[in-house]
């Protein structure tokens, strides 16, 4: 499954595209950050971000788009920009008939690290490890977009038979399985990734 993940932002919008196999192994396709200067008029900034997202959708043909769900912040201006960019991304996906999933930051953290309150550095380090990258993608918006894409693929894909018994799980994957069981949901734990 090819997933395009978006960490929405008006100044920096992270976009990460990953291919995830049935055994949950993830491969980096592309990662980028679409930037717009604060001095640019709002409508032009949204157009630039929208054009960038559309170009990536058309170039890479993902099966699904995953977006970080907008959450309340103290800075109203930041939350408005994030919501506006999310709307542009939703529109671009809908125009192409692509399904869209929204994931909260804690869902993404839990999927990637096994801990819903993990800090950004832990998430970024796990993203690099999962994708077999020599270093963490920068800036943080890029790594966050990849984490959103991986989260969606892992949460939405069925568990494989070989991973069903809990063998070959990383500590994060084992924690995810335990959380799934305690909530009464079917397990969606990814298998250990090849290095």
């Amino acid at each position: 499954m090819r997933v395009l993940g978006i960490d929405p932002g008006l100044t920096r919008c992270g976009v990460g595209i990953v291919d995830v196999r049935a055994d949950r192994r993830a491969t980096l396709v592309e990662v980028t950050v679409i930037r717009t200067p604060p001095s640019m008029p709002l409508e032009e900034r949204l157009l630039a971000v929208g054009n960038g997202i559309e170009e990536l959708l058309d170039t890479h043909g993902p099966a699904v788009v995953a977006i970080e769900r907008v959450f309340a912040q103290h800075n109203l201006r930041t939350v408005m920009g994030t919501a506006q960019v999310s709307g542009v991304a939703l529109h671009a996906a809908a125009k192409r008939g692509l399904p869209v999933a929204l994931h909260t930051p804690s869902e993404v953290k839990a999927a990637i690290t096994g801990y819903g309150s993990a800090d950004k550095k832990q998430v970024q380090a796990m993203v690099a490890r999962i994708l077999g990258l020599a270093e963490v993608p920068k800036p943080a918006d890029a790594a966050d977009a990849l984490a959103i894409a991986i989260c969606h693929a892992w949460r939405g894909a069925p568990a494989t038979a070989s991973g069903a018994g809990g063998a070959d799980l990383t500590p994060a994957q084992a924690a995810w399985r335990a959380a799934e069981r305690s909530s009464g949901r079917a397990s969606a734990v990814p298998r250990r990734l090849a290095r």
Side-chain angles (χ1 to χ4, degrees), residues 109-130:
K109 290 173 183 179
I112 301 299
T113 69
Y115 179 57
S117 297
D119 65 35
K120 276 193 175 284
K121 288 189 178 191
Q122 290 171 309
V123 173
Q124 292 165 7
M126 281 303 294
V127 165
R129 184 173 174 197
I130 289 163

Side-chain angles (χ1 to χ4, degrees), residues 82-174:
T82 302
Q84 289 165 333
V85 169
S86 294
V88 167
L90 289 162
H91 179 265
K95 248 170 66 171
R96 288 156 180 79
L98 294 172
V100 177
L102 301 174
H103 297 284
T104 65
S106 60
E107 286 173 335
V108 174
K109 290 173 183 179
I112 301 299
T113 69
Y115 179 57
S117 297
D119 65 35
K120 276 193 175 284
K121 288 189 178 191
Q122 290 171 309
V123 173
Q124 292 165 7
M126 281 303 294
V127 165
R129 184 173 174 197
I130 289 163
L131 295 173
L133 306 176
E135 57 186 39
V136 172
K138 292 198 168 68
D141 313 87
D144 290 348
L146 290 169
I148 293 160
I150 294 166
C151 166
H152 179 74
W154 282 0
R155 288 181 62 121
T160 59
S162 57
D168 279 347
L169 297 180
T170 66
Q173 293 163 346

Side-chain angles (χ1 to χ4, degrees), residues 69-94:
R69 185 182 296 276
V70 177
F71 61 97
Q73 292 181 357
H74 296 297
N75 187 336
L76 182 60
R77 187 178 211 150
T78 299
V79 106
M80 286 297 296
T82 302
Q84 289 165 333
V85 169
S86 294
V88 167
L90 289 162
H91 179 265

Side-chain angles (χ1 to χ4, degrees), residues 26-112:
T27 339
L28 174 66
V29 174
E30 182 167 340
V31 64
T32 189
V33 175
I34 302 166
R35 299 172 190 268
T36 65
S39 58
M40 183 184 278
L42 175 62
E43 66 276 14
E44 290 179 22
R45 295 179 81 184
L46 292 171
L47 179 63
V49 172
N51 287 343
I53 291 170
E54 289 191 359
E55 182 180 329
L56 290 163
L57 287 169
D58 293 340
T59 299
H60 297 289
V64 64
V65 175
I67 304 171
E68 183 173 87
R69 185 182 296 276
V70 177
F71 61 97
Q73 292 181 357
H74 296 297
N75 187 336
L76 182 60
R77 187 178 211 150
T78 299
V79 106
M80 286 297 296
T82 302
Q84 289 165 333
V85 169
S86 294
V88 167
L90 289 162
H91 179 265
K95 248 170 66 171
R96 288 156 180 79
L98 294 172
V100 177
L102 301 174
H103 297 284
T104 65
S106 60
E107 286 173 335
V108 174
K109 290 173 183 179
I112 301 299

